[in-house]
Amino acid sequence: MNRLDTLAAHATARPPDAPAAPPRPRREASYLLFLIPGAVLLLAVIVVPFVMNIGISFTQWQGVGDPKWTGLDNYTRLFADETFWASFRHNLGLVVAMAILPTIVGLVVAAALFDVIGKRFGPRAASVLRACIYLPQVLPIAVAGIVWSWILAPEGALNEFLGMVGLGSLGHNWLGDPDVALWSVMGVLLWIQIGYPVVIFMAGMQRADPSLYEAAELDGASWWGRFWHVTVPQIRPEIFVVLLTCTIAALKVFGPIYVLTRGGPGGATNVPSYFSFQNFFEKTQVGYGAAIATVLTVLILILTAVFLRVQNRGERG
Amino acid sequence: MRRHAVLWSVIVLAVVMLAPFVIVAMNALKSPTQYAAEGPLALPDGISLQGLADFWDRVDFGQKLLNSFVISGSVAVLAVVVSVLNAYALGIGRIRGRLWILIAFLVANTLPQEALVYPLYFLAKESGLYDTQLSVIIIFTIVQAAFGTYLLSSTFTGFPGELLEAARIDGANKWQALVRIVVPISRPTLGVLFVFFFIWTWNEFFLPLVLLISNDTQTVPVALGVLQGQRLMDATMTSASALLGVIPAIAFFLIFQHTLTRGITAGAVK
């Protein structure tokens, strides 16, 4: 620490007319050395397995013995497989629950906390409420699943509560009824997810230019008008980040499905991630599982590329 | 009036968000007989630690906590180190092709683990690392470092060049400049990364579920998830298990809340 302080002092004490030499390396190779551990790990843990997975997706393989090359068979089977399409439809529901609804609700709640509660009732009230809403985000997702599978059980707290307030007829077997199971899972995911956009959006609102608000106020804009024409455009980068990261997270959902429903009842909550897991480890149709995972990957990469492009255009425009 | 309506709606939302935690805590502290008689919504008569103790013994929860700490702690330290090394080469060293290398790390961070899981499982079995904590530590070190590299590289691009130049004039080589100048100055950012990596690794479920199958190696979320899947627990024991899963998370949350909120803000918009 002391040596550093000396060095830092030395650096700032240099005469101001000294040429500000950029730290250009003379020999690039020496910086390259620092990349070796990361590159080796990236190759061994990500690149090689990823290429292997694509290779496996062109084979029929039980996980033991030699894989049998079958070309595109897994993919033709996949696109004709009703379970696969159903799993993607369920996934769309999860995108609504994890990306779209949290973004909308998050915007409203963040604006309420920042604009109304923070200003009229004090920043402490706003930050305590924000912490309460954010709390589910810190839970391990498997633990959140346990909490809810217990609450949503037929004899669980939710049905008990409905009975207590005289709405017993609304009671369901929330996770065991194929007609409501997906809705229940969506509700749980919304509960988990909502704190993330609230925190990000509030941070973005702090960055926003207060003079714009004053101008809008002078123009006699309503609260809603200010929200829509000032707040939302100002935090557009945050909205993009939240939509992208939440959509990707929704496409990857595995833990909540594993803990809450195991894809059931009768496949009513199956998603591509869980579907590939089933094929890998339960049915040992490894080639087919690899094909599902590959399609999921392609989808996620396309989505990332599209979002990044739209975002760049938005920033330039 | 309107303002109070806004306040009360947000308070109601906050209560709904907290209700599951309260219900879990209530029932984890209830005796099984009271639960059988009065159901999940009754306030506990007294504090019964029976459910918690039963669950703790049954899954050897102390061991699971230790496993989670070893894995998350090792990953957080190693991933910060790897991120710093990568970002030093990319952000300060500005090596050729850095844009493509950065994209490679970004893609690595976006890939679904489903597309890696079977080869990793297979390779772990082949190399004898299956069902060892080391396998999970190695994997998550690079998964987390991929994000860290991306974040730190852009931070390091703006690093004051005069400091490095001064160090060079004083005879420091690149390694010494990294250890004595770059790391100490970027300590706050590295702290945020450490916290993130620790909590993210602690919460991981999918790959640890596949790679860690024995009682001696499993992490807290995996042990709880597997037990839940077997549906062998009664109601009080389930809520005890949920409470024991919730407590470390809330503890981290309270300890790190300040760092976290700051870090989220820093990471959100570059």
Side-chain angles (χ1 to χ4, degrees), chain A residues 14 19-24 26, chain B residues 160-170:
Chain A
R14 275 158 53 85
R24 289 284 170 215
R26 297 215 180 97
Chain B
E162 314 84 63
L163 288 182
L164 296 164
E165 181 66 7
R168 202 182 56 76
I169 287 168
D170 283 2

Side-chain angles (χ1 to χ4, degrees), chain B:
Chain B
M1 231 34 236
R2 283 265 294 283
R3 280 168 210 151
H4 282 91
V6 172
L7 178 67
W8 282 108
S9 342
V10 178
I11 289 178
V12 167
L13 177 69
V15 168
V16 171
M17 298 299 284
L18 290 184
F21 294 101
V22 176
I23 293 175
V24 158
M26 246 165 57
N27 287 286
L29 300 176
K30 211 178 265 183
S31 66
T33 39
Q34 196 209 344
Y35 183 90
E38 298 170 32
L41 292 180
L43 284 171
D45 289 338
I47 292 191
S48 154
L49 298 176
Q50 196 56 43
L52 288 170
D54 284 350
F55 179 80
W56 187 290
D57 291 343
R58 175 139 160 211
V59 299
D60 196 1
F61 196 73
Q63 177 75 46
K64 304 294 185 284
L65 275 177
L66 182 67
N67 293 343
S68 274
F69 266 108
V70 168
I71 291 177
S72 309
S74 317
V75 168
V77 171
L78 292 172
V80 168
V81 170
V82 173
S83 307
V84 167
L85 293 175
N86 286 344
Y88 189 49
L90 295 169
I92 290 176
R94 311 202 143 227
I95 55 170
R96 205 168 291 154
R98 64 178 178 282
L99 184 66
W100 290 106
I101 301 175
L102 262 184
I103 289 178
F105 278 106
L106 186 63
V107 169
N109 194 246
T110 332
L111 283 184
Q113 293 175 356
E114 290 77 9
L116 307 173
V117 64
Y118 206 88
L120 286 174
Y121 168 79
F122 180 80
L123 292 172
K125 281 204 154 170
E126 293 288 296
S127 61
L129 288 174
Y130 182 61
D131 202 20
T132 64
Q133 302 181 344
L134 185 59
S135 65
V136 176
I137 291 173
I138 293 173
I139 291 170
F140 283 107
T141 293
I142 189 66
V143 169
Q144 313 293 27
F147 175 82
T149 301
Y150 177 68
L151 188 82
L152 269 188
S153 296
S154 57
T155 317
F156 280 6
T157 313
F159 199 85
E162 314 84 63
L163 288 182
L164 296 164
E165 181 66 7
R168 202 182 56 76
I169 287 168
D170 283 2
N173 61 27
K174 293 194 168 70
W175 173 253
Q176 288 163 330
L178 172 65
V179 174
R180 292 184 197 158
I181 315 256
V182 178
V183 169
I185 287 183
S186 38
R187 187 167 290 163
T189 320
L190 302 187
V192 172
L193 277 184
F194 178 87
V195 170
F196 271 19
F197 293 165
F198 186 91
I199 294 180
W200 288 346
T201 310
W202 184 282
N203 291 352
E204 277 292 340
F205 185 67
F206 182 59
L207 286 176
L209 174 75
V210 170
L211 290 171
L212 303 176
I213 47 157
S214 64
N215 275 321
D216 303 340
T217 56
Q218 278 177 344
T219 62
V220 171
V222 172
L224 296 183
V226 169
L227 211 67
Q228 169 70 15
Q230 295 165 343
R231 318 227 175 252
L232 292 172
M233 296 186 289
D234 64 29
T236 41
M237 204 191 259
T238 309
S239 46
S241 82
L243 184 64
L244 286 177
V246 168
I247 287 173
I250 294 188
F252 299 147
F253 178 62
L254 294 177
I255 296 169
F256 297 138
Q257 202 205 356
H258 189 61
T259 331
L260 265 180
T261 357
R262 227 176 28 194
I264 290 165
T265 326
V269 175
K270 297 279 337 139

Side-chain angles (χ1 to χ4, degrees), chain A residues 117-232:
Chain A
I117 296 175
K119 284 177 187 158
R120 314 284 168 184
F121 300 94
R124 169 149 297 174
S127 80
V128 167
L129 287 169
R130 182 184 61 181
C132 294
I133 294 170
Y134 187 74
L135 197 56
Q137 274 279 304
V138 300
L139 282 192
I141 207 146
V143 172
I146 294 171
V147 168
W148 278 100
S149 69
W150 176 78
I151 290 174
L152 297 173
E155 313 278 299
L158 180 59
N159 281 345
E160 187 86 4
F161 176 76
L162 288 172
M164 209 171 72
V165 296
L167 294 169
S169 58
L170 290 180
H172 275 99
N173 184 356
W174 297 102
L175 295 169
D177 180 343
D179 293 330
V180 290
L182 187 62
W183 295 100
S184 307
V185 171
M186 286 170 63
V188 173
L189 291 174
L190 181 63
W191 177 79
I192 293 174
Q193 201 68 10
I194 200 90
Y196 172 68
V198 169
V199 168
I200 302 257
F201 292 160
M202 281 183 76
M205 288 169 188
Q206 268 148 18
R207 186 174 49 79
D209 183 359
S211 65
L212 283 174
Y213 286 96
E214 284 155 23
E217 209 138 347
L218 284 180
D219 286 350
S222 64
W223 185 85
W224 177 251
R226 258 187 316 147
F227 172 73
W228 194 245
H229 294 291
V230 182
T231 311
V232 170

Side-chain angles (χ1 to χ4, degrees), chain A residues 259-282:
Chain A
V259 179
L260 286 171
T261 63
R262 299 253 172 164
T269 56
N270 208 350
V271 290
S273 166
Y274 192 76
F275 190 38
S276 72
F277 174 82
Q278 276 181 323
N279 278 289
F280 283 138
F281 298 107
E282 287 169 15

